[in-house]
Amino acid sequence: MTGLVERYANGKGWNVGTANVLVEGTSDVRYLRLARDLWQRESHHDLFDSGFAVFEAGLKDDGGVQGVVRELQTLRQMASQDATNLMTERKFVGLFDNDHAGREHARMLCEMDFRVKHYRDVFLLHPIMPVSNGVLGPELQRRAEAQNSSCAGLDWEIEDFLSEDLVREFCNGHPRALIRKYEKAGRVHHEFSRAGKAKLQAYAVEEALIEDMIEVIHLICSLRDYLGLEHEAMRP
């Protein structure tokens, strides 16, 4: 018998697992999959095994922060009903960019549904995504804020995990792609044009090496940790 989640996901074209990360858009998914593929060829570890899956909330206007809020609520409700009906148990968490919109919508989602908790069900991207040591919620939030205190207030998106060498080489060849950049405590947030983001993604697919994607690999390992999956042996 097919559960509610599976039927809904099939209609959306999502390949859901048992431990799922909902992200804002296709760029996040493509970078995460690229990092997974590079690391699998190098180490033979599959960062997407054990039921781990990542998919975008929607395409274009259907995605973004509002899409994560909408779809996470829907999927969590369906997963709860499936579990009650003894169907496959599935977990869903939301991952937001650490910008004004992401911070506000993560906060709003937790206020709308008291069952959704920061750093257990919704996460913000940080330069350092600390391991949980099995403890989620307020303790993990304190750890994340402490380890990122030197760059507090700096926006952070998936592209900011790429190596500085890769981004510099890209910008040298595409000088109009970068609008501006912000630096704090050695961490750099890049603001690209919409077209620039697409070109950077294509460039990374063609040119990125393991060392250019190492922080994205660390991000996947941390997400696996937060979902209760094996991660320590998989880390670079």
Side-chain angles (χ1 to χ4, degrees):
M1 181 178 175
T2 304
L4 294 173
V5 168
E6 190 173 352
R7 289 200 297 271
Y8 186 74
N10 288 342
K12 293 280 189 176
W14 295 332
N15 292 317
V16 297
T18 53
N20 302 277
V21 181
L22 190 62
V23 296
E24 293 185 23
T26 55
S27 290
D28 304 270
V29 174
R30 289 170 182 163
Y31 279 120
L32 292 166
R33 287 180 177 165
L34 174 60
R36 173 262 192 124
D37 292 344
L38 288 171
W39 188 234
Q40 188 172 21
R41 288 198 292 269
E42 175 74 16
S43 70
H44 305 295
H45 288 303
D46 183 359
L47 295 170
F48 281 22
D49 74 359
S50 305
F52 181 87
V54 57
F55 50 92
E56 70 278 359
L59 302 177
K60 297 183 179 179
D61 292 340
D62 286 334
V65 289
Q66 294 180 351
V68 174
V69 171
R70 181 183 64 251
E71 298 295 356
L72 187 60
Q73 289 178 301
T74 299
L75 288 164
R76 282 170 56 86
Q77 183 176 6
M78 289 182 175
S80 177
Q81 292 180 42
D82 281 349
T84 300
N85 293 327
L86 303 181
M87 306 296 293
T88 300
E89 291 194 17
R90 303 180 191 275
K91 184 172 184 178
F92 295 90
V93 300
L95 182 65
F96 291 90
D97 289 345
N98 199 345
D99 55 14
H100 177 73
R103 290 187 291 269
E104 284 299 301
H105 280 76
R107 178 189 58 78
M108 179 181 68
L109 182 54
C110 292
E111 291 178 352
M112 289 168 55
D113 186 347
F114 71 91
R115 295 166 297 184
V116 177
K117 303 297 183 185
H118 282 292
Y119 293 85
R120 190 194 69 183
D121 306 303
V122 292
F123 299 89
L124 293 169
L125 287 174
H126 291 285
I128 300 172
M129 300 290 283
V131 296
S132 70
N133 295 328
V135 180
L136 300 174
E139 177 56 35
L140 180 59
Q141 181 173 359
R142 283 191 288 269
R143 193 175 304 148
E145 291 173 352
Q147 294 186 24
N148 291 279
S149 60
S150 62
C151 52
L154 184 69
D155 286 358
W156 204 255
E157 301 178 11
I158 191 79
E159 292 87 357
D160 297 319
F161 286 112
L162 301 175
S163 75
E164 273 297 303
D165 287 343
L166 184 74
V167 175
R168 186 183 309 110
E169 291 167 4
F170 168 75
C171 290
N172 287 341
H174 303 81
R176 294 186 177 181
L178 181 66
I179 298 173
R180 62 182 64 87
K181 64 180 183 179
Y182 305 88
E183 184 171 357
K184 196 170 185 179
R187 299 285 185 172
V188 182
H189 166 61
H190 300 85
E191 184 180 338
F192 294 99
S193 66
R194 183 183 293 270
K197 281 196 171 195
K199 290 177 181 177
L200 174 58
Q201 185 183 119
Y203 183 84
V205 170
E206 294 295 325
E207 302 294 338
L209 303 174
I210 285 287
E211 52 265 35
D212 298 312
M213 302 294 292
I214 202 74
E215 294 302 323
V216 184
I217 295 169
H218 283 151
L219 168 63
I220 300 173
C221 290
S222 293
L223 292 171
R224 288 180 61 89
D225 171 29
Y226 303 157
L227 286 161
L229 301 178
E230 170 59 37
H231 63 97
E232 291 182 354
M234 296 181 164
R235 289 182 179 270

